[in-house]
Amino acid sequence: MITRALPEADSILVAHPVAVKVREGAGGGRNGLCRILEKGAPLPADAMRRFKAVRGLTSDGKDNHLGLEFYQGQDGRLSATDSLFIGSVEVTGKHLTDRTKIRGGDEITLRWEMSAAGILTATVEFPRFGRKSGNFYVPQPGCRRLDFDREAKIARSLLEDARRDADILRNAVAAGARAECEGLSREIESQSEFLDNAGEIGTAHGVVTEMRRIAGRIAEMKFSPENLGEVLRQKILAEDRDWFSRYIRARADAETVRLFDRHRDDCLASIDEGDLRAAEFHLGEAAAICGVALWSDPAFLRDQFNFDREREHLAADREEYRRLLQRGLGVMSGGGFMALRGVIGGLRDLQVDVSVPRRPASDLASIVEA
């Protein structure tokens, strides 16, 4: 791997090393970290790295995935036990067609660049599938490229996601773990209060880092065997209550209602039987049914576009983001709401990912170093 600094007069030095989670050996049963950016490297920078798929992936492997998970070291260190999850770029069986498959051993190419503002843009090339990209934020204490207001908004987006996950967890755990959940919620609100009373960009850096620690602890509890079933129960009931029954059921055709209810009931039955892998599959199918229906609804598209208008602070490329916003406003004024789907997709491709971990950090990586 060759990392090079991009030409820019006021380069700063990387404060936190960045790595990708990999399997140690093609048949290994442990995770390791493959460094892609070292502490002290000048920013902006870019590089390319090659990996290989540990396993194959086909369109019927809907409960499987291949992808790269990015981690940030702490205090200049990078280890498999205390590094912070930044985000991931992945494909699942749902992304593939019946005639497309990725084979174990196939090469996966990562091309990345990090700006002086700490925005990491990663483009992953999957064989026979194509490219998928993600934008992530790795705070750099010496950097003044992001103004305090924008960085504080990024930190608040992390706070909002953590609050939602903590609420799900609080309603899912047994009584013995509730005190720990309440403690995590108090920590989240403490960081929010800290941000409210701050006025320096370094404070926002600290909140982002602390929220990633908290999100990691929430994920550990959420994915633990004793809690995961009830977490999935909360999610499928919310999918029905907050989305399908609230917005879709009354106007959907009978087959759509039947399919959704079948996946909801099968999800709940799988949880009761202890088959959590099947439960996750049915939850994903129910969510997909909601997605298809909602993304065909002009009112929903309008609301989503207006939501993204308030998230310019997450834009990796603000100029392009504003261009898409103007295009979306023109689409709405002309009444062509269906064209908003492409605009919203473009806006979200440009947004920095502030989501919480989608799976436990202990899950074995799906890639090895090439």
Side-chain angles (χ1 to χ4, degrees):
M1 176 186 72
I2 299 176
T3 304
R4 65 183 179 88
L6 299 174
E8 196 156 328
D10 54 346
S11 290
I12 66 165
L13 301 183
V14 172
H16 306 292
V18 177
V20 173
K21 186 171 82 173
V22 295
R23 190 90 63 97
E24 292 190 338
R30 293 191 308 170
N31 289 323
L33 291 173
C34 172
R35 291 171 180 260
I36 63 170
L37 187 59
E38 299 283 356
K39 179 182 179 182
L43 290 178
D46 70 357
M48 182 269 285
R49 190 91 187 213
R50 290 190 172 92
F51 302 91
K52 288 184 178 180
V54 169
R55 55 176 177 258
L57 184 66
T58 61
S59 61
D60 57 358
K62 295 182 175 65
D63 59 347
N64 210 343
H65 72 280
L66 287 171
L68 281 70
E69 294 180 20
F70 297 90
Y71 286 82
Q72 166 197 321
Q74 300 186 65
D75 302 322
R77 301 188 311 275
L78 193 58
S79 77
T81 56
D82 68 354
S83 295
L84 304 177
F85 176 80
I86 298 172
S88 63
V89 178
E90 66 180 41
V91 295
T92 68
K94 290 183 179 180
H95 293 119
L96 305 179
T97 67
D98 291 340
R99 291 179 291 181
T100 306
K101 66 179 179 179
I102 300 173
R103 301 181 181 92
D106 278 352
E107 188 171 271
I108 296 171
T109 301
L110 164 68
R111 302 181 192 277
W112 64 265
E113 63 180 64
M114 186 181 284
S115 72
I119 303 295
L120 172 67
T121 298
T123 301
V124 185
E125 299 171 5
F126 295 95
R128 288 173 293 281
F129 166 74
R131 298 181 177 183
K132 197 169 183 194
S133 299
N135 301 298
F136 313 100
Y137 177 52
V138 186
Q140 304 299 323
C143 177
R144 294 295 182 269
R145 288 302 190 82
L146 292 182
D147 57 73
F148 174 75
D149 181 61
R150 184 182 176 195
E151 187 155 34
K153 287 179 179 178
I154 292 175
R156 292 194 191 287
S157 295
L158 283 164
L159 284 161
E160 290 167 11
D161 262 31
R163 279 193 185 105
R164 283 192 291 269
D165 251 30
D167 286 343
I168 291 172
L169 188 61
R170 188 187 303 110
N171 293 322
V173 299
R178 205 152 291 145
E180 186 175 356
C181 287
E182 296 295 342
L184 288 169
S185 294
R186 285 194 297 273
E187 289 184 47
I188 292 169
E189 297 314 314
S190 176
Q191 289 299 312
S192 179
E193 185 176 345
F194 188 47
L195 197 59
D196 287 342
N197 296 318
E200 297 181 357
I201 197 164
T203 304
H205 288 151
V207 171
V208 169
T209 299
E210 190 58 33
M211 287 312 304
R212 284 191 168 143
R213 287 196 187 100
I214 293 171
R217 288 162 58 195
I218 291 173
E220 286 177 14
M221 291 187 68
K222 185 173 68 174
F223 292 116
S224 66
E226 63 269 26
N227 295 330
L228 182 55
E230 288 307 309
V231 168
L232 293 175
R233 191 187 305 277
Q234 292 292 322
K235 287 186 174 181
I236 190 64
L237 293 175
E239 197 72 39
D240 188 352
R241 179 189 65 241
D242 298 338
W243 296 108
F244 195 81
S245 290
R246 185 174 181 182
Y247 295 107
I248 303 166
R249 188 178 294 276
R251 60 180 176 81
D253 60 78
E255 179 61 11
T256 298
V257 173
R258 186 191 70 79
L259 278 173
F260 180 89
D261 287 348
R262 191 195 78 192
H263 284 298
R264 179 203 59 205
D265 294 344
D266 286 349
C267 179
L268 293 170
S270 297
I271 293 168
D272 292 338
E273 294 163 6
D275 190 348
L276 301 186
R277 192 168 184 177
E280 288 181 311
F281 167 76
H282 290 298
L283 173 60
E285 292 297 295
I289 291 168
C290 283
V292 169
L294 289 170
W295 287 95
S296 299
D297 182 348
F300 177 79
L301 292 171
R302 180 199 60 218
D303 290 346
Q304 291 298 299
F305 177 74
N306 286 331
F307 177 71
D308 287 331
R309 289 176 67 185
E310 304 301 318
R311 290 166 72 82
E312 188 180 316
H313 59 281
L314 295 179
D317 183 336
R318 297 183 87 172
E319 185 175 330
E320 176 64 12
Y321 199 88
R322 288 167 180 165
R323 188 190 70 78
L324 280 172
L325 286 177
Q326 288 302 312
R327 180 181 165 196
L329 290 170
V331 167
M332 286 205 302
S333 66
F337 281 97
M338 290 302 106
L340 271 181
R341 282 183 292 196
V343 173
I344 295 167
L347 291 170
R348 295 193 177 172
D349 284 344
L350 289 170
Q351 289 176 9
V352 171
D353 185 357
V354 292
S355 60
V356 295
R358 286 179 283 194
R359 51 184 50 88
S362 58
D363 267 15
L364 287 175
S366 58
I367 60 168
V368 293
E369 293 186 62

